[in-house]
Amino acid sequence: MDASEVSSLHDSMRKYGIPGILEPADPRNRAGDWRVVDPVDGRDITDEVSVRVAAADRQQPTRGFIVAR
């Protein structure tokens, strides 16, 4: 993922409670590629987080109210 997608992914991770740390793949090039690392062991979990965020975005609410105006 590139730098333009980081903010959106970070917002989704916070919204759905998905753990991970976003960091640039090359610390000297913050405009380049970014990755998500596991906060416990530091391994790259970018693919797993992307799949979880995509699945959470597709889920429909299971309860709530619809207010017609």
Side-chain angles (χ1 to χ4, degrees):
M1 115 190 83
D2 63 15
S4 65
E5 301 168 314
V6 170
S7 179
S8 175
L9 181 62
H10 182 254
D11 291 344
S12 294
M13 288 170 64
R14 286 183 33 206
K15 178 179 177 181
Y16 300 122
I18 299 171
I21 299 170
L22 289 157
E23 64 180 27
D26 177 6
R28 295 174 303 230
N29 183 12
R30 297 183 65 81
D33 288 338
W34 284 65
R35 64 184 180 177
V36 183
V37 296
D38 189 311
V40 176
D41 61 13
R43 67 185 172 86
D44 187 345
I45 57 170
T46 304
D47 293 335
E48 292 91 348
V49 169
S50 296
V51 168
R52 288 181 65 189
V53 166
D57 283 340
R58 285 192 305 269
Q59 261 186 331
Q60 297 293 322
T62 55
R63 51 191 276 198
F65 296 95
I66 298 175
V67 179
R69 292 183 178 206

